[in-house]
Amino acid sequence: MATQSLSARTMELLIAYARNPSIKLRNQLVELNTGLVRKVAHQINRQCAEPYEDLEQVGFIGLIRAIERFNTRSGCAFSSFAIPYIRGEMLHYLRDQGSVVKIPRRWQELHTKGKKLQKKLTIALGRMPKDLEIANGLGVSLQEWRECKLALQNRLLLSLDARVGSLPDSTATLEDTLVDPRYHLMQNWQEDRQQLHGAISQLEEKTQVAIEFVFLRDLSRKEAAKRIGISPMTVTRYLHRGIDQLSGLMQQHPQAA
């Protein structure tokens, strides 16, 4: 199934599930979004000793929780909303299992080379090099270099009560320095919302109105049809057409990484 059709079908099922929750609809949503779970499971599996299959099963719990809590009127893309839930379930599982992050030998060697290259580039450029410059110098992708750095940074288990700062009377702890994950979620939600509104503005007027009444104002299709002055069947056609067009527009203008 094409990404565009998958996104449209997911949103359609999420709206139906929000109005009338059922095991059948939930299972359909889980099946459609299995790829999200597998993607996160593969990422985390490279950094821990737990079997991929166990991570995948735990990830489905996070996906189900995301389905239960997703607000179809928020304007947030479901994938952006669901991934933190999926990842969070896996990390909680690893914490409960007492698993320690394992660092592949390749990444250990890559990190050592990267630190040496960073010093050389700093001298040559007169500034701290960007991740992309280091990755290019090492002959690896930007994603691998960032994952390598993150893995090495997280290899030591520190207490959240540990004090940070060089001043003797400093009371700041490591926990105080951690960014609230809800901030990133809200930031992503705001970006997705802006992108969605921009895409909606490109639709024809009647399609915009139909989407606004049904999805944003939560009117029934019958009520929306009465206000617009068309039949409920025509509203349904506008909605299907609008969802397909929105999915295409959102895919054409993905957010910058």
Side-chain angles (χ1 to χ4, degrees):
M1 181 180 295
T3 302
Q4 176 178 339
S5 300
L6 176 62
S7 300
R9 180 58 176 162
T10 294
M11 182 57 69
E12 186 177 0
L13 288 174
L14 283 167
I15 292 169
Y17 185 79
R19 292 178 173 173
N20 187 23
S22 70
I23 298 298
K24 181 180 179 181
L25 284 174
R26 192 186 71 183
N27 288 345
Q28 287 179 309
L29 283 163
V30 169
E31 184 176 354
L32 278 175
N33 292 278
T34 295
L36 296 178
V37 176
R38 290 174 177 170
K39 177 182 178 180
V40 178
H42 278 299
Q43 291 174 346
I44 294 181
N45 181 245
R46 293 199 297 265
Q47 301 179 40
C48 73
E50 294 299 318
Y52 166 83
E53 291 76 12
D54 292 350
L55 293 172
E56 186 181 53
Q57 290 302 313
V58 173
F60 280 117
I61 297 175
L63 176 58
I64 290 173
R65 288 185 176 179
I67 293 170
E68 297 286 350
R69 300 175 184 180
F70 184 69
N71 183 352
T72 57
R73 292 176 290 173
S74 68
C76 175
F78 178 69
S79 58
S80 299
F81 181 84
I83 285 179
Y85 280 90
I86 296 169
R87 185 183 299 276
E89 285 297 327
M90 294 182 191
L91 294 180
H92 282 309
Y93 170 75
L94 293 177
R95 180 199 62 192
D96 294 340
Q97 293 293 108
S99 297
V100 178
V101 173
K102 64 177 182 180
I103 309 299
R105 182 178 297 274
R106 165 178 164 77
W107 279 9
Q108 294 181 36
E109 295 174 351
L110 187 64
H111 189 264
T112 300
K113 293 179 181 178
K115 297 302 288 184
K116 292 180 179 179
L117 179 60
Q118 184 181 47
K119 292 179 181 179
K120 292 181 180 179
L121 289 175
T122 299
I123 295 173
L125 299 172
R127 59 171 173 79
M128 287 292 290
K130 299 178 181 179
D131 283 346
L132 181 59
E133 292 170 331
I134 296 176
N136 289 338
L138 294 171
V140 299
S141 67
L142 176 60
Q143 180 180 357
E144 182 174 8
W145 170 240
R146 285 179 172 172
E147 288 180 351
C148 170
K149 279 204 317 177
L150 182 62
L152 269 293
Q153 288 169 0
N154 293 337
R155 64 180 172 178
L156 298 178
L157 301 178
L158 299 176
S159 169
L160 293 180
D161 295 325
R163 291 188 179 184
V164 296
S166 56
L167 298 177
D169 58 348
S170 173
T171 59
T173 65
L174 180 60
E175 184 177 15
D176 296 330
T177 68
L178 297 179
V179 178
D180 188 341
R182 290 173 298 181
Y183 168 77
H184 289 301
L185 184 60
M186 180 60 67
Q187 188 178 46
N188 289 336
W189 176 80
Q190 291 288 356
E191 292 174 354
D192 286 338
R193 184 179 183 182
Q194 291 175 4
Q195 186 182 9
L196 179 61
H197 280 299
I200 289 177
S201 67
Q202 298 181 51
L203 303 178
E204 63 180 1
E205 184 177 356
K206 289 186 178 180
T207 302
Q208 288 186 43
V209 174
I211 288 177
E212 179 183 350
F213 281 155
V214 176
F215 293 155
L216 304 183
R217 299 190 185 182
D218 201 27
L219 298 180
S220 68
R221 300 188 184 192
K222 185 176 180 180
E223 291 172 325
K226 185 177 180 180
R227 294 199 181 192
I228 300 173
I230 56 179
S231 69
M233 183 63 69
T234 303
V235 170
T236 299
R237 286 201 299 269
Y238 280 137
L239 292 177
H240 286 170
R241 182 191 308 165
I243 290 174
D244 287 339
Q245 291 175 343
L246 284 176
S247 298
L249 290 169
M250 298 286 278
Q251 288 300 317
Q252 291 173 16
H253 304 286
Q255 292 179 12

